[in-house]
Each structure stands twice: as structure tokens, then as C-alpha cells.
Amino acid sequence: MKKIPVQLNPYIKTRQAYEKLKICHSCGRFTILGEKICPSCGKSSLIKLEKKALSLQRRGIVKETILILALVAAGIFFSESTLQTSLCAAGGVTSLILLWMLRRNTRTERQSYQLGKLLQRESFKLVDGLRLDREAAIEVFHNDEKQQAYEMLREIGTLVRTDQIKVEQILLLQSFVLRKDMDLMLEPLLLDHFNPDLVQYMGELSKLKRGLLKEKAFRYALIHEAQILRMKDGEHILIGIAGAAVRLKRYVILYPHLVMRYARKLPKDRFLRLYNVIRNNPQHNWGALGAEVSEIYNEKYKWDTQFQ
Ligand SMILES: [Zn+2]
């Protein structure tokens, strides 16, 4: 497959996945794509879900305030003395102040409660909206707008964590010329099963952005090691992944077998890194890995000035 050069737009992260979700004020369509224009009805009435929850919350406040005022009014109406009237009014004012204080202290909780209720009530619509979003991305893909299709799937993937969406993103990424300066990701794309395209992608990342390879990636490589080795460049990819693991002492301690099996074939700079991790931490019992590293050192790098 011929790889195409692309200029990917950066991926904007949000604290919560749902923060990117929007709802159409007019037709109720949910979407994670687009800013203002609703993809279903074409009106510029998309609003952030949080905003919607906030307006529902406000509606709740108005309802409660009206209820209290009505009770106070009824109290005043039926009171038989000035004392009773003033007690009613004072009681009303106190409850309004208490309610206001309570609201203020529990605003975020109430908002997430409203949000939860909204999502629960509209779950079918939400799923359907995201299905339509994916269909739109596939249509863009068929129009040969691969970069845009990937960016759309990347957005949908923040909420829809199915293997299908992940595999589609991996395949598109594998059709691009990847570069160091690109906004790439790995962990959200990791699958439970073996997938050669994902492994190829991990191999590329181990050269371009090894910082993206973390615990989950190393665990994936270990679980599927036998299958990776059966791939054409399998061993080469595993050497790259092991070379990414020597980046941190923690990874070397967590995955000594992965590192040990490929230590001999690591490029010099990666082996030097491993050698230093072990030499700088003599208090740790490195076991068989320590023995292997010193054997490789004695065989290949004993006289190398960089190792002194
Ligand atoms: Zn709409």
C-alpha cells in the first residue's frame, strides 16, 4: 500500500470524553462532529451537552423557587394574624436563602446529575447520533478524503470505543506517512486481540514517538509476542518495542523478559540506555536480565568509550 503524506490537525483533549458531545436544540440530534451546524436538520443550533444540562438545571431552580413562593403566598393568604404573616414571609425568605446556598455548593454535582439523567433518557438518540457520525466519516473516506475521515473517526473514538472504530483508525494511520511532529496516539487504539496493522503501527511509533509506548503497549506486545514473531518484520518490531521499554527503569523492572529477549539486538544507543539503568540501580536485583546485560557488554561494548 502506497503511503500518502498528510498534515493532521491536532487532537484537542478534554477533561471528560462527553465534553465534546453536542446536541441540536432544534431536532435533538446528538453529534460529536461539527461546531454549530446540525448535520441532520442543517440549522445552526448545536449546543454543548454541558450547556444543555445547565439549562435543565436552571429550569429545575426556577421550578423549586416558584414552589416555595407559592407555599409562602398560600401561608400568607391563610394566616390569621400579622405575626403569622411575618413568620410565613420570614420562613419563605430563609428557605430561599438555604436553597440558594445548597445550589451553590452542589452546582457541579447537580450538573453532572442532570447530564447523567439527560444521557440516560436520550441514550437511544445518542447511540443513533454517533452511528450517523460514523456513517458520515465512512462516506468521507469513500470520497477519498482519508485525512478528514481519520480525524472524524478519532473524534467519534473518544466516545465509541469499539474495535471497529479502532481498526478503522489504525488502517487509515497505516496509509499515512507518519512523522515525529504529528499528533498521534496509541493507548486509545489498543485492541484485545492480535492485529498486524496495530503491531506495524506500534513498530513505527517505537521509532518516531517512543514516549507513546507505555504499560498497555508493552503488555500487548508480550501477550501477542509469538504471533508478532510470525510477521515479516516481527522481530524487528519487537526490538523497537523493547528499545522503547528501556526508556524508564520502571518498564525494565515491569517487563524484564521482553527486554531480555531482545537486549542482544538492541541498537547501541538503546543498549547503552539499558546498561545505564542497570548500572545506576545496583540495589535492585536484576537477576537473569542483569547477567544477560553484562554478558552483552563484555562481548560487544567492553572497549567502547561511551560505556565508561
Ligand atoms: Zn438538528
Side-chain angles (χ1 to χ4, degrees):
M1 180 170 46
K2 197 180 172 298
K3 298 198 175 214
I4 50 166
V6 287
Q7 198 70 48
L8 289 183
N9 288 308
Y11 176 74
I12 296 155
K13 288 189 187 78
T14 50
R15 214 160 31 87
Q16 304 285 348
Y18 66 77
E19 281 174 38
K20 290 194 169 185
L21 203 56
K22 283 161 217 104
I23 183 169
C24 175
H25 215 43
S26 173
C27 71
R29 156 86 188 260
F30 281 89
T31 181
I32 197 160
L33 307 171
E35 285 305 315
K36 283 203 171 67
I37 311 284
C38 168
S40 280
C41 69
K43 290 184 188 154
S44 53
S45 42
L46 288 184
I47 54 164
K48 283 204 168 170
L49 210 63
E50 278 178 302
K51 239 184 173 174
K52 178 83 180 172
L54 200 68
S55 80
L56 287 175
Q57 189 188 330
R58 284 206 188 109
R59 212 182 290 167
I61 295 175
V62 172
K63 257 192 211 164
E64 278 172 35
T65 313
I66 289 175
L67 188 71
I68 290 175
L69 289 177
L71 284 173
V72 172
I76 290 170
F77 185 79
F78 290 112
S79 61
E80 283 154 358
S81 66
T82 333
L83 180 69
Q84 267 188 6
T85 311
S86 39
L87 277 177
C88 266
V93 170
T94 318
S95 7
L96 281 176
I97 291 172
L98 277 175
L99 182 70
W100 177 75
M101 276 162 65
L102 195 71
R103 289 286 189 179
R104 210 180 51 163
N105 293 336
T106 58
R107 183 144 60 183
T108 37
E109 285 128 73
R110 295 191 73 96
Q111 200 180 343
S112 41
Y113 169 74
Q114 286 291 356
L115 202 62
K117 235 170 64 173
L118 174 73
L119 289 175
Q120 213 173 19
R121 199 175 56 223
E122 307 275 321
S123 57
F124 281 115
K125 265 194 164 172
L126 171 65
V127 171
D128 201 47
L130 292 168
R131 181 186 62 81
L132 291 170
D133 278 352
R134 182 183 161 269
E135 276 177 15
I138 299 303
E139 202 181 309
V140 167
F141 170 78
H142 287 308
N143 291 336
D144 221 25
E145 307 271 357
K146 286 188 176 177
Q147 179 195 332
Q148 199 193 339
Y150 166 70
E151 285 169 0
M152 288 166 88
L153 288 168
R154 185 174 65 174
E155 291 300 332
I156 302 164
T158 21
L159 283 168
V160 186
R161 300 197 181 130
T162 60
D163 282 359
Q164 185 191 34
I165 301 265
K166 290 180 192 176
V167 169
E168 283 163 355
Q169 286 180 81
I170 295 164
L171 285 173
L172 278 163
L173 281 166
Q174 278 306 92
S175 73
F176 301 152
V177 181
L178 300 179
R179 292 185 321 270
K180 234 188 187 76
D181 61 310
M182 276 181 176
D183 198 354
L184 300 169
M185 55 173 82
L186 176 63
E187 290 213 333
L189 300 178
L190 286 175
L191 302 158
D192 289 327
H193 60 271
F194 170 71
N195 178 292
D197 291 296
L198 171 61
V199 174
Q200 291 276 4
Y201 178 58
M202 283 167 70
E204 279 200 68
L205 288 182
S206 74
K207 286 183 221 136
L208 293 171
K209 290 191 140 192
R210 59 173 75 104
L212 288 180
L213 277 83
K214 295 176 188 161
E215 274 99 333
K216 282 183 188 164
F218 300 130
R219 223 175 304 141
Y220 184 88
L222 271 173
I223 292 168
H224 305 288
E225 191 179 2
Q227 276 161 298
I228 299 174
L229 281 171
R230 264 179 251 134
M231 288 168 63
K232 200 169 130 264
D233 306 320
E235 193 187 25
H236 188 70
I237 291 170
L238 283 165
I239 294 167
I241 294 173
V246 305
R247 179 170 96 248
L248 290 179
K249 174 185 147 200
R250 199 158 68 90
Y251 296 148
V252 181
I253 291 174
L254 281 172
Y255 310 103
H257 299 292
L258 177 72
V259 174
M260 195 171 89
R261 278 198 281 279
Y262 303 95
R264 198 166 280 276
K265 293 185 174 163
L266 286 178
K268 187 174 147 188
D269 72 302
R270 302 322 293 157
F271 183 77
L272 177 61
R273 174 87 209 131
L274 172 63
Y275 179 76
N276 283 333
V277 166
I278 288 180
R279 191 173 60 173
N280 296 338
N281 297 282
Q283 73 287 359
H284 185 79
N285 175 19
W286 293 104
L289 174 63
E292 173 77 353
V293 167
S294 69
E295 202 179 305
I296 299 166
Y297 166 75
N298 283 323
E299 272 175 39
K300 292 167 85 176
Y301 301 108
K302 205 171 180 178
W303 311 109
D304 195 312
T305 49
Q306 276 182 287
F307 281 75
Q308 302 315 314

